[in-house]
């Protein structure tokens, strides 16, 4: 088993970064630390909600910060909410716009993945992360087995299985 560690704000302190690097196998780049470069960075996790669609600003981020990083071979994304507009209360999303139906979320994700492949090429693996479910109305579809299976099977994607998200979902769905 190999350990993959996200490059967080802790990496801004070189002593902390060295300690973390010495205790992991691989590193995962993140948007908020996109300016930090460390050897053994093989993954990139990006908090773009592919089921909502990909914006021009997000496309530019991929061009500027991901495409040049040829050492990164696995790039994962999220589908964290079922609507474009949300209200956040105590860290939980609540819908402030219409819920996007399952078929539309699947189609949006397919289009987003195609745009990403057009930018990054076909040599890198793409994946989607499972998200946690809360009974607020904003998570029903994007956390569903139907959505994740369809995305993985239709688009040859990997699943970034977040154990903590799975535990939250299990607890909240009984």
């Amino acid at each position: 088993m190999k350990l993959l560690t996200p490059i967080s704000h802790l990496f801004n302190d070189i002593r902390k970064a060295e300690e973390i690097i010495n205790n992991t196998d691989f590193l995962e780049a993140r948007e908020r630390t996109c300016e930090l470069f460390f050897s053994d960075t093989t993954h990139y996790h990006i908090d773009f909600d592919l089921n909502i669609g990909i914006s021009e600003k997000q496309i530019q981020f991929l061009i500027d910060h991901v495409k040049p990083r040829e050492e990164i071979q696995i790039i994962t994304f999220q589908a964290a909410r079922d609507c474009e507009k949300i209200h956040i209360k105590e860290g939980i999303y609540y819908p402030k716009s219409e819920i996007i139906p399952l078929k539309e979320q699947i189609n949006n994700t397919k289009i987003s993945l195609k745009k990403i492949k057009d930018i990054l090429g076909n040599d890198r693996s793409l994946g989607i992360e499972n998200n946690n479910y809360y009974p607020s109305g904003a998570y029903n579809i994007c956390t569903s087995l139907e959505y994740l299976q369809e995305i993985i099977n239709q688009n040859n994607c990997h699943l970034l299985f977040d154990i903590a998200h799975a535990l939250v979902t299990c607890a909240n769905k009984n």
Side-chain angles (χ1 to χ4, degrees):
M1 184 167 69
K2 301 285 185 176
L3 181 62
L4 176 68
T5 303
I7 298 173
S8 70
H9 65 284
L10 298 173
F11 283 75
N12 289 321
D13 179 329
I14 195 64
R15 288 176 292 151
K16 288 180 183 174
E18 288 173 355
E19 183 179 345
I20 295 167
I21 290 168
N22 289 333
N23 289 287
T24 195
D25 298 301
F26 303 105
L27 297 173
E28 176 188 70
R30 302 302 296 259
E31 292 160 85
R32 63 184 166 270
T33 56
C34 65
E35 304 295 332
L36 299 176
F37 295 88
F38 295 94
S39 61
D40 295 329
T41 303
T42 56
H43 293 64
Y44 215 125
H45 181 69
I46 304 171
D47 291 334
F48 295 173
D49 287 307
L50 299 186
N51 59 326
I52 304 297
I54 190 166
S55 70
E56 290 302 318
K57 183 178 177 183
Q58 291 169 329
I59 288 170
Q60 195 61 51
F61 180 87
L62 292 169
I63 292 167
D64 294 343
H65 297 285
V66 182
K67 186 175 181 176
R69 306 276 310 264
E70 292 180 12
E71 74 280 10
I72 295 175
Q73 294 303 308
I74 299 174
I75 304 151
T76 55
F77 299 90
Q78 68 179 21
R81 57 200 167 114
D82 290 336
C83 52
E84 286 188 47
K85 296 178 184 174
I86 54 165
H87 168 71
I88 301 173
K89 182 179 175 185
E90 297 178 12
I92 297 174
Y93 295 163
Y94 292 85
K96 280 192 74 172
S97 61
E98 283 190 40
I99 300 298
I100 301 169
L102 173 63
K103 286 186 179 187
E104 191 175 335
Q105 287 192 43
I106 290 168
N107 191 52
N108 289 345
T109 305
K110 183 179 180 179
I111 292 167
S112 297
L113 288 167
K114 180 175 180 339
K115 288 179 182 180
I116 292 164
K117 287 178 183 179
D118 288 346
I119 294 166
L120 303 179
N122 292 316
D123 295 337
R124 303 181 198 202
S125 295
L126 301 181
I128 192 152
E129 177 185 28
N130 63 305
N131 191 28
N132 44 38
Y133 167 84
Y134 290 98
S136 68
Y139 302 90
N140 295 336
I141 298 168
C142 66
T143 62
S144 72
L145 182 60
E146 294 82 7
Y147 171 76
L148 289 171
Q149 280 184 324
E150 198 70 25
I151 295 310
I152 291 164
N153 293 333
Q154 273 192 19
N155 300 286
N156 193 27
C157 281
H158 296 279
L159 175 66
L160 169 58
F161 186 71
D162 186 310
I163 294 170
H165 288 175
L167 292 172
V168 169
T169 297
C170 287
N172 288 332
K173 285 190 172 185
N174 292 321

